[in-house]
Each structure stands twice: as structure tokens, then as C-alpha cells.
């Protein structure tokens, strides 16, 4: 075991994957010499050479488009989109190409590629450095979508994603890079230095895609979250004094519906959390699934706590961010229902 | 400052529309043999002239002339003619099959046969094309079984892509033919990525991007040129300028540039412009670009000047936007006729042999068609199971898809 | 009143809007001289000149990107994307630019623009001529999303969309262009010639955005649909013999939640239909809203009938399309629940 | 064919990295006054040379020489100097304010002040810039109130964009400054659309697209050039080549092209390359392009050669990827110093007046800052109400947003 921030854990995963497999290559804007604006790829170019880790022109289309070609050749490209907010120019290549290549060629050509991107707010990044576009990926057949919430998972999930034979969208909550964040923006920042999940297994391991993690057992209600919202959920639950179960989804697609349904059937109440815009967000899908699976156990409607249906504002960051107060209110509401 | 003017939107218009008399006198066509052939290693900055002329080998008399001649043996030329004839016969049969309701859709190559057929012969096994829907010649020239092409067009049980794709969206890794997308231009940049991968691995393989004149306006075209220009991998970027993009003439996509080949100049890429109806010119230009790639000298951009003599697809009637006689007036002629004349002129062919070859080729196509139709056509006979609809979305079927498959009863 | 196909109704709306307002301009691939691959803009160039209706290069990014600039100038561009499947290159301009311009400039610059695109399957168009990407728009704050199901609505909704001060995504179910289609692919095609909604008001009228339409009253359950699925719903209901209420949503965002909630509270059962891929489809949002609004009236879980989570296949078109048989089964299930 | 070679990925690298000695000897810089000035109406095909040189007016001695000189009056030159000094002082104060925690983020213009300041003076009311985040000079040169700029940077209650945008993402229709996006390049094609609208309406207004060297790789750059080349509306397309895109040197985006201006050649657009640190050269080139637009002669592409002397933003430390001394070694010098020298040389300015002007300018900036800070800074004082978060998503608030606003208690 070793102490790592999420950045270090991601870097470690890259290093191990590149050591294990010559076909793993890394590229993106500023990822080469400089090592990425968040330093997630620092040291890779020096260690593995410019042919395996290099800077690209500022063209998200080009990054993903060439990665699709590389993957079809037989490489395993791991590409970084500097912020999730900038993935749109690559969206066509992701949706129309990466996601459908195996299907339309009946397995003749495949696309084992990982597209990493920092997501979420909490750093005063405003509308172009704060978005959480996961629902735009979960709607697309052929993609897998992963969101880690801590260094231990980030490393294991990234290694599993790189090893996956299909394209994986790997969303990294940037507010968690250096420490857990429970939404109490007015308290001092935490670091991973003292958090139990900042203690990361050394060496190669995979955290299988498609398995959720019950991070707090409880019996009164089930709180479903991923990424930063896992920490918000935990804080809100402690503060609420209600015995709520908290599940970290980790992989949005494929979703570990079994674990979720088991929990909600047991507790009879459910809240889904995310930072992304409410309408047609991923919470809608989870809610629809749960009301289908657990209809006869539900004591109250499934509640969604999410970002408002507005762009992510700058000055009003903490009015936008679905923090512990909103979650606590939701817990109270769902317990009344 | 000179006097100001009220600005206007300048909307380019083709010189001729239905009702007018076809007129291609504005198309500047140099004489065959006129364009120089620089060494493939020459500095691209020194060969800008090649983007503004047209490399031609076959002259009016059917002779092969000039520095780009002689890239092919007699046998290869005869084989080339047969490939083009086969493609044309295949098109004719499939168009008819579509009209008979045996499939939903078809796209033909009429007038453009030389380009893919000749280009393919400059490649070797291990190279990869990223084609559009109008390059079936690549498959024919690489010996892909025609009945498999038809199985794809019919979406029958033997369709290599399991009924999932629109007719003509073939895929064959073995034959260096990348799965066709349907979204224009997207594969152009993938071709560059594939070549980057070859470069990263140090494997002696090259890739070829294909795009239509109209599609050069798409973003992926730019992405491809930016990455090709930056990393200089072994890729050849082909632009098939067949004058039309559905109903839109090439002036709309080309705008103020003299030619599509000129697009390469902004990226420091060598850019050739080639007579696309001249099998020999296409092959020679391809071979030149292939040499650049194999010597790791970097990418080449090639524009083929040709004419889409048929409709865009079976859903299109070009009489609505261009004179019916325009095709006949096209000054670069018919690629099959031109190669045939060349072979006759060389004493390698005759009218009789041609008639006989036509019959043979058609027999072959009909035999393949019988084979395919015995398996099934879109609306009749064996077709891929609905079960297959759920396969290959992922390598391993995730639980939610298993569930959905069960709902359908499989 | 005049008999019109949906194509003619759309053309009529264009003509009236261009007559009424010089600032309305129309552009897209093949829309000018030729009048569009579906003929929806036929005659406009001849009538209004090349400065107001013109062909564009094949660049969806360019079409929408220049339209944003035109709209900011003060024009009202109405642009056509040839098939919805080809909107992805324009997605960045739609999501990051058109949708957010008013917000980020605090109302100083606006984007009154309509992006029309044919959607849906049923014409053997396979994966690249069959998609229904509405959920990718409803997730985006700042956009409105409209889906007409008949000529009368198509005209009125399009006129309302053109007149709207904000960007509107206008999705046209191509299988309805020439006639209603109830999913019975093995029966002869219908035309609008005899359908009551093929009778279209002449002259200028608007069908307000954000109002659903109860197309069949019923008491046993509520079926929510839009576009082609409205006709499938109606056929399935007749064949099922169950007294189901059918609501045509018409506008997905803003959604007429009031009408929906009133109906579901009354019937206690609900099915949501769409052709798009199930997971994270628009049905998820509607389901999540209904279970929230009508929790205590629901007798059974809200059911979703939707396209499978695969690309739209060619040969298996009718296995993919959610036709009347699947809807009837859903009615039976929801009535049992 | 020559011998084959194993292909390699050619990854462009800057000549110098931290630890090396700065060396710009590979940057070819013509002498001031050397580049010809064609008539704006000349055929673009005849002026390709202009994309491969650098238009310069001020020579080493500070004299204005050559055919591009004399586009500005003495007063205008003095005003220009003051604008640049104001921008630099503004930057200094805002950088400090960010370090003091008064806002979250800032981006400076150090070394690039001439470009936006001079360009703006070639425009008139009604024209519209589509700027990036590094063109605040446009606002300063057009007389936009500095306290409003600061209100934006502080996201306070008087912020014209209501706290919604990242600092420096200004917006002012009145001052011809389009709302900044944050997504690179997207506005380049919008500028073309705006000019198309002006052309459609026949209104005598022009638009200006702005983009950085690195961002030319984006798709919107291509979209802009395609549409500009096709419809020839009154638009000027500016590329600010400041050598760096965050940590990436310009060779990565430029690839094999000699220059960014050369990108215009593939589209038949006239393309200029200009000394971006020379206020007079920038203004003269701008005026030339403006004349083209006003005479409805079509778009112009201009590359400004400059150097980003500061960090990319307050989140960036350039010492990690380039030598600290690189800025000082930049051969085109400092734009303020160069104009100052010119004015002194012309007898219009002196060291004393400069020192005095510096103090005056700083006083002005400090006064504006006091005004803005009296209203509030990001984390203290008056800020826009959370209620505003829900406004302007649409013209009229739809029911679901009203509901959400109520949840927040407004
Ligand atoms: C992204 C995208 N936009 C639009 C279309 C619709 N479309 C199919 S073919 C075509 C014309 C293409 O013209 P060109 O590139 O010249 O190729 P050609 O058909 O002439 O071979 C268009 C607009 C598409 N398939 N994909
Ligand atoms: C679409 C998009 N991709 C990436 C980014 C992140 N980013 C912001 S500035 C920048 C560098 C831009 O460099 P350049 O265009 O040269 O402009 P400069 O900063 O030098 O003025 C990058 C990569 C972004 N804002 N938008
Ligand atoms: Mg074409
Ligand atoms: Mg730069």
C-alpha cells in the first residue's frame, strides 16, 4: 500500500499499463512534455518516450479520431480531453465511430480505447470547466462510462478500463484530484493524506467495471451517488443522523442494478445524486430503473438531487453545487414520504 | 480607401442547370504527359504547381505518354480493365436488384471506376483503406468474393456484417477495407490514426483515407490534415472530386480555392491533382504516394478529377439539378473506354475480345448473384437472426442487453 | 383548410415565416436549388432568392456555427441538418454556443435559431438514417426540443419555433413525412390524404411550444408518446381493447407536465414510448418526473417501451422498432401491475 | 522505388526546453519595410508571398519605414501607446488581485498588447469582434469602462454578465465585443456567420474572428475558412501566433506548414503575416483587410507573430516547459517599448512623459479598481443573487426552472 492522491493513482495506473503492454499509448493536449494540466500523465513521456506519450494539436476531434484509427490498428490508446466541457468536438467520433465500430463490422474491427476527462465543479471554473456530461455517454450503446470517487478505485478502474476491449469513457471528478470534498466549501480543504482510500494498493490490480460499492451500510434509505457526490452523500448522512445506506455506483454503464435494487428493496426509500443538470441527467435513468425494479417496496418517490437546469455559473458556484444541505433536506423529505 | 460597397452574400452557382446546354469549357485540362513528375523525396514546397494542373497519361489516341506513364505491365493493364468492367457490371445488376425490391438501397460508381480499381493495385497486403461508399473497386481489385459483397447488399444470413449495415457498407480487414461509417469524413482522420499506429509500432504498413469533394468541408478533413501534417505518418489522403455532392456542385465546398488539392498547401503537404478517369494516371500517382509512405517521407494528398455519371444513390434523381446530358459532355471521357482504347492501341486487346470479356464478366456477376440470392435477399429468405441485433455492441453482453434480448425471445 | 403532407406543411410554414419576416433565412445541405433531400424547402430559393435560401458546404458545424453568428446579428436562421444522425459535428455549436449565448452574455446576445432534422426509423435507413437523439438535447439547458406527429402540428409548431426568441431543436419523424405510420409495416402505407390531421389550417398560426395534446381520452392508463410513436400508440390501444388515454407530448422541453400528471393521477398507470435507445432516453426523464408527481396514484410502475440499447440495424429494422405488438404487451403488463 | 524504411512517428519538438539557452535564430525575420503592399483588390493568388514573410513597419531605430507605414496620425499613435500601457497596468493589477484572492482566475496579455489595441482602431461602431480571452485590448481601445471590466473579473453585483462567467469573459455588444465562450475556436465560425448576415442584409458592417495559434487545429477553424471562402462575406480572420498554447509550442499545431497564414492558401484567401509587436504594422494590416471588407472584396486571413511573455493563465507556470529567459530573447521586442521609441524618435514623446504617463495610467486603473471593489469582489461584498442563476437560460423562464428557483428560495 502507498499513499496517493487521485492524480498520483491515475499516473500510477498509466505507468503500470504502459509497462505491462507496449500497445498502450497516451496522448492529448499538454499531456506529453508537461504531463497534463492536472499532472495526471507527468513523467510518462520521459519514461516511455515521445512515441508512446505525446502532445497533440488542440483538436479533440483529432485526438479521438486518430485514437479510433490507432485502436483499430491494434493499439490501446488512452487519451485525455483537457476538460469534459471540451469533449463536444470529439462527440461525433465517440458516438458515431468508437461506440459503433465493433457492431457495424460484426466484430472485425474494434476500438479498445479510454477517453479520460476531468469533470464536475467546485473549483470556480464556471460553465466551461465544471460540466458533468455523463448522461450524454450513457445514452450511447457501445460505450461504458466510469466515474471513480477515490484514489484506490481510480487506479483499479482505470486499469480495468485500459484492459477493456471496448471504448470506455473515464470521468475524473477534478475536485477530488487532491482530496475528498464533501461540499462544505467553507471548511478547510481535505487531502488524501489521511483518508483511508488515499491508501492505494501498489502494483497492478483491476477494479471490475460494473460493480457498485456500498460505502456506508444503512437501513432507512438508500443514497446513490458517484464521484464527488459520494463524499457529499456521506457527510450529509452523518449530519442528518438518519441511518442511510450510501452506494457509490462507480460504473454508470454497465450499471450494477442488482446491488442497487437489493438495497432499495430493503430500505424502501431512495435518493439519487449528481452534479449534472437535472433534466435528462443520469439520475433520470436510475430513477426510472428503480421505480420499475422496486415499485412494490418503495415507501416514497425516488428523489433526485442534482445540478439545476442552467449552465454552471461562476459567482453562484455554491448555489449551484448540490451540497450537503440540499441532500439533508432530501433525506428529510424522503423519510417523510 | 476606395469607395465602400454594400456587402452581398456571394453564393457560388454552377454554370449550367437543367435546361441549359452542358458546357465544361471552363474546366482547364492540360494535355496528357504534360505534367512533370518530381522525385517523391522532393520538398513539397517546390511542387505546388502539381495541385493546379492535372496529371494525365492517356492521350486522345489512347497512347500512354509522359513521365507518369509505364507504371504497369501489360498483364496488369488487362487485369485493370477487367476490374473496371466487373465493377460496372456489378453496379448494373445491383441497381436492378434494388429496383426489384431485393434490397433497400444502392450506390453506384458509374464513371469513377478507375480510381479505386487502379489505386488498390499500388497497395499490398497489410495496408488499410478507409473508404467511402463509392470505393467498391478496392474490394474488386483486391479479389474480395463478389458473392460476399452481394450478401452484404442483401443483408442476408451470410452478410459478413450480420444485416446491421446499409447496403454497400462493406467491411473486410483481410482485404484492407475498413468498415464504412455512413457519417461522411469521419474515417479520414481515423486513417491518419491508423498510420500513426503503424509509425509508433514501426510496422511497414500504410493507410489510405478516402473522401468526396463535398465532404472535404467536414471537420474531420481538417483534423486529418492537422494530424497528418504534424506527425507525418505513412498515410495517403485521397479526395475524389466527382463534381457533385448529391445536388450541390463542387464550387460550394471548394469556395475560392482553385482546386481541392490546394487544401494541402496550407499544411505543407505535397498535393497532386490527377485525371481520375485515366487508370494509368491514377495508378502512377498512387505508386508515387505509396513510395513516399514506404520511404517514411510522410503523407500525400491527391485529388482525382472525375465525374459522377449516375445518381448519387438509388434515392436520387439528378435530372432535378443538372442537365441529363452533362455526363456525356464530361471532357475526361469514360475510364473503361479509355483503357480499352489504350489496350487496343497497344495490340493487347480488340473489340471482339472486349465483347467476349463483357459477357464473361457478366456471367461471373450473375453466378455470384445466384449464389447470394440462394441464401436470401432483404425481404425474403434467410436473414440474420434478431438475436444478432444484440451482439457485438460490446465484446461481452452486459446484463441490460441480455435482458432486452430475452424480451425479444432469444 | 388544405390537404397537406407533413412535408408540405413544413414547406408552408417556411414560406409563411419568410413572407412575414425578412430576417428569416434558410440554409443547409441541398436545401437551396434542389429543395432538400426530403423536399421540405422546395421552391423557397426560387421565391425568396439565393440570399435567403441557399445551399451550404457539407459541414454541420459550419451550418450551425454560422447560424449562431447570424442569429446574434439579428437574423432568424432556420437550418436543416440532412439527417439527425449527422448532427454530431454541430453538437458543440448547439450545446456550448447556441444554448448558452443568452445566459453567458446576460441577455445581450441571443440565438433565435431553429435547427430542423429528420429523425427516427422505419425506412430501412440503418444506423445512420434512423436515430432519435432527442435526449441529447433535453439534457441541455437553454434548448427547446419539439417533435411533431402530424401536418397540422408540424406547421404550427414550426412557426412557433421560428418565432421563438431562443434556439429550438425541431425533430421531424421522417417516417411520417408522407403519411401516418402505426408500426404495421406489413400493411399498405397510409397517406395524409385521408387522415384528419392531414387537413391543415391555411395561413399563419402558431401551436404554442410546451403544450401536450390528449389525442385519445381514456381512463385505464396513460400512454405518453411523440412523433411516430403517437400513431403506434393509437393503433396499439385500439387493438388492445383497453381504454387507454394517449397523450402526444409535442414539446419535450419545456414539457407540459401538468397535463401529463393530471392524466396519470387519474388513470394510475403509465407507459412512455419512444423509438430512441432506452437507457438515458427521454423516457427516463418522463418516468422519473411521473413517479415523483404521481407516486401516490400509481398502481403499477411506469413502463418504458423504447428502442433497444443497440445501434439501429438494417435487416432487423422491425425487430428493433417498438411496434404495436410491444406496446400491446406493455399495456397488458401495466394493467396487471 | 528507393529502399523502404520503418516508419516513425515524427513528433515536433521545440528547439529549446528549460535548461537550454533561448535561441530564436531559426525564426526568419525580414527587415522592417521590406514586404510589399499590394492593392487590397489584387487577386489573392498573386500575393501568396505575403504569408511567408512578416510585415513590419518599425525598424530597430524606431523609425516607421516601407509601404505599410503612415496609416496613423501622431495623436492616434500617442493614444495607441496609452492603450497598451493601460492594458499592461490593468493586467498587473488584476494579476495581483487574483493572487490576493479577490477573484478565482485571470489571463494576461503581456507582450501581445499591440495586436488588439491597434486592430480595434481600424474598426468602427457597428463592427463586431469575436474575441478570445486574450483580446481585452479591444475593449480598452474602444473606450469600454475599465471598472466594468473589473466588475466582470470580480463577478460582483455590477458584473454585466451577472457573475455567470469566468473572469475575463467579457461581453459588450455596444463596444463590438462578442460574449466570450471559453470553448476554443467556436466563435471563429460564428464571426463568419455574423458577416454573412451583414451581407444578406446589405449592411455595411464587418466582423472579426480571433483565434490563437494552437486553436487553429480545432474544427471550427476549418468551418470558418470553408464558409468564408464560399460566401466571401466581410470578415477578417485573425490568428494570434504567440508561439505557445499552454505548454505546447506552435510547431505542434502548425505541423509541416511554414506558417499559420499559409492555411489561407488552401482556400484562395489573401493571407498576411504581420509583426504582432509592431503597433503600426498591425494597424496597417488591419486597415488593409478592413478596406477589402468594406469594398466587398471578401475575407482576409492575418497571422500576427508575437510571443506570450507571461504564463498562459494564473493556473500556469511556464517555467515547467520553457526557459524563463525565453521571453527576453524574443527577437520582435516589446510592443510598448517599440512604440515609445518611435514616438520619442519622432519627437512626440520623452522618457519623462512616459514615466508621467505610466503614473497617470496606473492612477486611472487604481481608481477603477477602487470603484469596482467598493461594489465587491468574488468572495466578499455584493454579488449577483442566486436568483440570477436561473435567469437568461431562456427569454421566458419555463415552469421547471421556476420550480427549481423556488427550491432555492427565490
Ligand atoms: C455527416 C454527414 N452529413 C451529411 C450526410 C448526407 N450525405 C450523404 S452523401 C452526401 C454527399 C457527399 O458528397 P461527396 O463528398 O462529394 O461524395 P460523393 O457522393 O460525390 O461520392 C451527403 C450530404 C452524411 N452521410 N454524413
Ligand atoms: C475546445 C477546447 N479545448 C481545450 C481548451 C483548453 N485550453 C484553453 S486555452 C488553451 C490553449 C490555447 O492556445 P492558443 O490557441 O495558442 O491561444 P493562447 O492561449 O496562446 O492565446 C487550451 C488547450 C479549451 N478552452 N477549449
Ligand atoms: Mg462528390
Ligand atoms: Mg498561442
Amino acid at each position: 500500500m502507498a499513499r496517493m492522491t487521485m492524480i498520483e493513482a491515475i499516473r500510477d495506473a498509466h505507468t503500470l499499463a504502459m509497462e505491462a503492454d507496449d500497445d498502450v499509448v497516451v496522448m492529448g493536449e499538454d499531456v506529453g512534455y508537461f504531463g497534463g494540466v492536472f499532472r495526471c500523465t507527468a513523467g510518462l513521456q520521459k519514461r516511455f518516450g515521445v512515441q508512446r506519450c505525446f502532445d497533440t494539436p488542440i483538436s479533440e476531434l483529432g485526438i479521438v479520431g486518430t485514437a479510433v484509427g490507432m485502436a483499430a490498428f491494434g493499439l490501446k490508446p488512452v487519451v485525455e480531453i483537457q476538460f469534459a466541457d471540451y469533449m463536444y468536438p470529439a462527440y461525433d467520433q465517440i458516438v458515431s465511430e468508437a461506440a459503433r465500430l465493433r457492431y457495424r463490422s460484426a466484430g472485425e474491427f474494434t476500438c479498445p480505447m479510454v477517453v479520460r476527462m476531468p469533470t464536475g465543479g467546485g473549483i470556480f471554473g464556471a460553465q466551461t470547466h465544471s460540466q458533468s456530461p455523463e448522461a450524454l455517454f450513457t445514452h450511447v450503446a457501445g460505450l461504458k462510462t466510469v466515474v471513480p470517487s477515490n484514489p484506490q478505485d481510480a487506479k483499479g478502474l482505470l486499469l480495468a478500463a485500459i484492459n477493456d476491449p471496448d471504448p470506455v469513457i473515464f470521468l475524473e471528478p477534478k475536485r477530488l484530484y487532491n482530496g475528498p470534498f464533501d461540499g462544505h466549501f467553507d471548511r478547510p480543504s481535505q487531502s488524501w493524506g489521511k483518508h483511508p482510500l488515499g491508501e492505494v494498493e501498489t502494483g497492478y490490480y483491476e477494479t471490475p467495471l460494473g460493480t457498485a460499492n456500498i460505502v456506508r451500510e444503512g437501513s432507512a434509505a438508500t443514497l446513490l451517488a458517484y464521484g464527488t457526490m459520494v463524499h457529499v452523500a456521506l457527510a450529509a448522512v452523518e449530519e442528518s443522523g438518519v441511518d442511510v445506506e450510501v452506494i457509490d455506483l462507480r460504473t454508470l454503464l454497465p450499471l450494477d442494478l442488482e446491488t442497487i435494487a437489493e438495497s432499495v428493496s430493503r430500505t424502501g426509500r431512495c435518493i439519487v445524486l449528481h452534479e449534472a443538470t437535472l433534466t435528462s441527467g443520469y439520475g433520470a435513468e436510475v430513477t426510472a430503473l428503480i421505480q420499475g425494479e422496486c415499485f412494490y417496496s418503495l415507501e416514497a418517490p425516488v428523489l433526485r438531487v442534482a445540478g439545476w437546469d442552467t449552465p454552471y455559473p461562476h459567482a453562484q458556484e455554491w448555489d449551484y453545487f448540490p451540497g450537503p444541505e440540499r441532500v439533508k433536506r432530501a433525506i428529510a423529505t424522503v423519510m417523510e414520504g | 480607401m476606395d469607395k465602400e460597397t454594400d456587402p452581398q452574400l456571394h453564393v457560388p452557382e454552377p454554370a449550367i442547370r437543367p435546361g441549359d446546354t452542358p458546357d465544361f469549357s471552363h474546366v482547364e485540362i492540360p494535355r496528357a504527359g504534360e505534367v512533370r513528375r518530381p522525385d517523391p523525396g522532393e520538398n513539397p514546397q517546390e511542387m505546388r504547381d502539381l495541385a493546379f494542373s492535372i496529371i494525365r497519361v492517356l492521350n486522345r489516341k489512347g497512347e500512354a505518354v509522359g513521365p507518369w506513364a509505364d507504371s504497369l505491365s501489360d498483364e496488369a493493364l488487362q487485369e485493370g480493365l477487367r476490374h473496371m468492367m466487373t465493377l460496372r457490371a456489378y453496379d448494373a445488376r445491383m441497381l436492378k436488384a434494388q429496383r426489384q425490391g431485393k434490397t433497400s438501397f444502392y450506390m453506384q460508381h458509374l464513371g469513377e471506376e478507375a480510381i479505386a480499381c487502379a489505386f488498390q493495385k499500388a497497395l499490398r497486403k497489410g495496408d488499410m483503406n478507409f473508404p467511402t461508399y463509392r470505393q467498391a473497386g478496392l474490394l474488386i481489385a483486391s479479389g474480395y468474393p463478389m458473392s460476399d459483397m452481394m450478401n452484404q447488399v442483401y443483408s442476408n444470413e451470410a452478410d459478413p456484417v450480420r444485416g446491421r449495415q446499409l447496403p454497400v457498407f462493406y467491411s473486410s480487414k483481410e482485404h484492407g477495407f475498413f468498415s464504412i461509417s455512413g457519417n461522411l469524413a469521419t474515417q479520414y482522420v481515423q486513417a491518419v490514426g491508423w498510420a500513426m499506429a503503424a509509425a509508433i509500432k514501426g510496422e511497414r504498413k500504410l493507410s489510405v483515407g478516402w473522401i468526396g469533394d463535398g465532404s472535404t468541408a467536414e471537420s474531420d478533413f481538417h483534423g486529418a490534415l492537422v494530424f497528418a501534417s504534424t506527425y507525418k505518418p505513412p498515410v495517403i489522403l485521397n479526395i475524389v472530386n466527382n463534381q457533385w455532392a448529391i445536388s450541390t456542385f463542387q464550387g460550394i465546398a471548394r469556395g475560392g480555392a482553385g482546386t481541392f488539392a490546394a487544401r494541402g498547401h496550407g499544411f505543407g503537404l505535397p498535393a497532386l491533382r490527377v485525371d481520375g478517369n485515366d487508370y494509368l494516371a491514377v495508378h502512377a500517382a498512387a505508386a508515387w504516394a505509396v513510395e513516399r509512405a514506404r520511404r517514411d517521407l510522410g503523407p500525400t494528398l491527391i485529388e482525382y478529377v472525375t465525374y459522377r455519371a449516375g445518381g448519387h444513390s438509388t434515392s436520387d434523381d439528378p435530372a432535378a439539378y443538372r442537365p441529363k446530358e452533362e455526363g456525356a459532355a464530361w471532357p475526361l471521357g469514360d475510364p473503361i473506354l479509355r483503357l480499352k482504347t489504350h489496350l487496343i492501341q497497344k495490340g493487347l486487346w480488340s473489340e471482339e475480345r472486349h465483347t467476349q470479356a463483357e459477357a464473361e464478366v457478366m456471367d461471373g456477376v450473375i453466378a455470384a448473384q445466384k449464389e447470394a440470392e440462394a441464401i436470401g435477399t432483404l425481404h425474403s429468405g434467410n436473414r440474420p437472426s434478431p438475436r444478432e441485433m444484440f451482439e457485438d455492441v460490446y465484446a461481452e453482453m452486459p446484463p441490460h442487453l441480455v435482458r432486452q434480448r430475452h424480451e425479444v425471445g432469444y
Side-chain angles (χ1 to χ4, degrees), chain A, chain B:
Chain A
M1 305 291 267
R3 277 272 152 215
M4 291 187 198
T5 65
M6 196 142 140
I7 292 167
E8 289 161 343
I10 288 166
R11 210 187 283 158
D12 195 32
H14 277 95
T15 308
L16 290 165
M18 291 176 88
E19 270 174 3
D21 186 348
D22 275 354
D23 289 337
V24 176
V25 297
V26 174
M27 63 174 177
E29 295 159 17
D30 302 295
V31 309
Y33 185 88
F34 182 55
V37 294
F38 289 105
R39 326 292 301 129
C40 290
T41 58
L44 299 180
Q45 181 174 85
K46 199 152 193 185
R47 169 105 184 250
F48 297 101
V50 287
Q51 303 256 332
R52 293 191 57 204
C53 174
F54 51 91
D55 289 322
T56 62
I58 304 177
S59 164
E60 292 75 13
L61 176 154
I63 294 168
V64 176
T66 55
V68 172
M70 289 179 192
F73 182 95
L75 298 187
K76 295 183 169 181
V78 182
V79 307
E80 177 175 300
I81 301 292
Q82 203 161 79
F83 286 85
D85 317 57
Y86 305 141
M87 70 84 187
Y88 302 103
Y91 195 57
D92 190 27
Q93 285 287 343
I94 294 173
V95 172
S96 309
E97 299 296 324
R100 287 196 240 135
L101 185 54
R102 177 188 294 279
Y103 192 76
R104 67 170 207 243
S105 70
E108 194 168 47
F109 295 98
T110 62
C111 193
M113 162 179 95
V114 178
V115 185
R116 296 175 40 242
M117 49 186 103
T119 59
I123 61 155
F124 278 96
Q127 51 147 349
T128 55
H129 301 87
S130 307
Q131 294 169 39
S132 299
E134 60 272 12
L136 303 178
F137 300 117
T138 55
H139 188 42
V140 179
L143 299 179
K144 297 181 180 174
T145 302
V146 177
V147 191
S149 70
N150 61 68
Q152 165 73 16
D153 282 357
K155 178 176 166 184
L157 290 167
L158 182 52
L159 283 166
I162 296 173
N163 205 23
D164 195 275
D166 288 306
V168 180
I169 307 296
F170 196 83
L171 304 170
E172 302 169 2
K174 66 179 85 68
R175 180 63 210 230
L176 300 183
Y177 272 149
N178 289 305
F181 175 65
D182 63 11
H184 285 297
F185 57 89
D186 41 7
R187 302 187 189 163
S189 286
Q190 306 296 305
S191 85
W192 287 113
K194 283 172 194 148
H195 195 281
L197 292 166
E199 193 76 56
V200 174
E201 271 175 67
T202 49
Y204 190 100
Y205 65 93
E206 292 185 15
T207 305
L209 307 187
T211 54
N213 189 17
I214 301 177
V215 290
R216 184 194 185 284
E217 293 186 0
S219 57
T222 304
L223 230 160
L224 304 174
Y226 49 94
T228 310
M229 296 307 289
V230 171
H231 304 277
V232 175
L234 287 170
V237 168
E238 290 324 315
E239 293 162 27
S240 73
V242 185
D243 184 29
V244 178
E245 181 145 308
V246 179
I247 300 182
D248 179 353
L249 300 182
R250 297 202 289 202
T251 309
L252 309 190
L253 200 130
L255 179 69
D256 185 354
L257 186 54
E258 218 176 304
T259 299
I260 296 169
E262 187 281 321
S263 173
V264 179
S265 307
R266 195 160 24 80
T267 62
R269 297 167 204 273
C270 181
I271 302 170
V272 191
L273 298 186
H274 57 67
E275 231 186 299
T277 291
L278 177 79
T279 297
S280 280
Y282 186 65
E285 178 60 31
V286 176
T287 303
L289 287 171
I290 291 171
Q291 69 86 38
E293 292 294 305
C294 313
F295 186 77
Y296 299 100
S297 334
L298 280 176
E299 314 266 354
V302 181
L303 264 190
R304 291 182 285 168
V305 177
W308 309 116
D309 283 327
T310 77
Y312 214 115
H314 180 246
Q316 304 91 337
E317 169 132 287
W318 301 122
D319 303 304
Y320 186 91
F321 185 90
E325 289 314 313
R326 278 184 64 202
V327 178
K328 276 187 275 181
R329 256 181 290 149
I331 294 174
T333 308
V334 87
M335 292 314 298
E336 272 164 29
Chain B
M1 186 182 305
D2 260 16
K3 239 180 80 264
E4 293 192 11
T5 321
D6 288 346
Q8 267 193 35
L9 198 72
H10 304 265
V11 183
E13 278 290 326
I16 38 174
R17 283 293 196 188
D20 304 337
T21 308
D23 175 10
F24 283 110
S25 58
H26 61 284
V27 182
E28 273 180 57
I29 297 176
R31 273 183 304 126
E34 215 173 72
V35 176
R36 73 190 180 97
R37 182 182 185 282
D39 182 87
E42 198 176 303
N43 180 353
Q45 315 293 340
E46 307 299 321
M47 39 171 121
R48 295 216 184 115
D49 51 315
L50 296 179
F52 297 104
S53 193
I54 303 181
I55 295 168
R56 308 180 66 221
V57 169
L58 293 175
N59 67 15
R60 279 169 186 252
K61 290 186 244 159
E63 295 156 347
V65 296
W68 295 86
D70 300 324
S71 71
L72 288 158
S73 69
D74 291 350
E75 294 67 43
L77 288 171
Q78 283 170 308
E79 193 195 17
L81 181 63
R82 186 172 289 264
H83 287 155
M84 291 197 285
M85 291 168 74
T86 304
L87 179 54
R88 191 165 290 182
Y90 174 71
D91 273 348
R93 295 297 297 184
M94 291 296 98
L95 277 175
K96 195 164 161 206
Q98 192 273 341
R99 274 197 303 273
Q100 293 168 335
K102 291 178 181 166
T103 190
S104 58
F105 179 81
Y106 189 72
M107 299 183 92
Q108 63 173 326
H109 307 77
L110 195 67
E112 302 178 36
E113 291 90 347
I115 300 165
C117 288
F119 194 93
Q120 179 63 41
K121 299 311 288 183
L123 301 180
R124 67 183 180 208
K125 210 171 156 61
D127 296 337
M128 183 63 70
N129 287 289
F130 288 72
T132 83
Y133 44 73
R134 229 184 283 284
Q135 272 90 47
L138 297 171
L139 286 174
I140 286 177
S142 75
Y144 185 76
M146 182 174 286
S147 56
D148 276 343
M149 293 172 69
M150 290 171 169
N151 292 331
Q152 197 285 326
V153 169
Y154 289 147
S155 280
N156 67 19
E157 163 61 35
D159 173 6
V161 298
R162 320 308 302 131
R164 295 184 190 134
Q165 286 264 65
L166 210 59
V168 319
F169 285 22
Y170 316 102
S171 172
S172 172
K173 193 170 197 170
E174 166 86 16
H175 286 77
F177 193 98
F178 194 72
S179 152
I180 292 178
S181 163
N183 296 59
L184 295 172
T186 45
Q187 299 181 251
Y188 217 55
V189 62
Q190 293 166 13
V192 175
W194 199 96
M196 286 170 67
I200 289 168
K201 299 300 283 183
E203 291 183 26
R204 295 187 182 179
K205 295 172 175 177
L206 63 84
S207 69
V208 187
W210 292 87
I211 204 167
D213 50 317
S215 307
T216 59
E218 289 285 10
S219 305
D220 308 85
F221 179 77
H222 184 63
L225 266 63
V226 168
F227 278 65
S229 161
T230 295
Y231 302 111
K232 303 194 171 34
V235 63
I236 302 170
L237 295 166
N238 285 331
I239 302 173
V240 179
N241 175 6
N242 63 4
Q243 312 301 316
W244 290 94
I246 308 186
S247 77
T248 308
F249 90 120
Q250 45 100 17
I252 289 278
R254 202 200 57 225
T259 70
F260 288 96
R263 292 276 196 268
H265 291 169
F267 297 86
L269 296 178
L272 309 181
R273 202 153 172 263
V274 179
D275 180 344
N277 291 15
D278 179 341
Y279 188 94
L280 284 79
V282 171
H283 184 270
W288 188 88
V290 164
E291 180 175 338
R292 281 183 47 82
R294 302 245 192 265
R295 288 168 61 190
D296 200 26
L297 298 171
T300 306
L301 187 73
I302 312 181
E303 172 186 351
Y304 304 92
V305 183
T306 183
Y307 184 83
R308 194 198 76 208
H312 170 72
S313 72
T314 48
S315 315
D316 179 47
D317 173 16
Y321 50 81
R322 68 185 193 189
K324 276 208 174 69
E325 321 73 35
E326 201 183 89
W330 175 244
L332 292 176
D334 177 80
I336 293 183
L337 208 63
R338 283 175 71 194
L339 183 52
K340 176 186 155 200
T341 309
H342 175 58
L343 289 174
I344 291 176
Q345 181 270 334
K346 273 191 118 174
L348 296 167
W349 202 247
S350 67
E351 288 295 349
E352 297 70 47
R353 276 185 71 176
H354 195 75
T355 311
Q356 192 193 331
E358 272 181 335
E360 280 167 23
V361 160
M362 191 50 91
D363 283 353
V365 173
I366 290 173
Q369 194 176 3
K370 284 212 176 109
E371 210 182 301
E373 293 186 2
I375 299 165
T377 60
L378 180 57
H379 300 295
S380 71
N382 291 329
R383 65 182 189 98
S385 152
R387 183 195 176 88
E388 303 225 26
M389 187 164 68
F390 297 98
E391 277 162 15
D392 293 326
V393 180
Y394 300 92
E396 211 178 302
M397 199 176 293
H400 70 285
L401 274 178
V402 174
R403 225 202 230 203
Q404 294 181 17
R405 198 189 66 199
H406 289 167
E407 258 192 75
V408 186
Y410 293 89

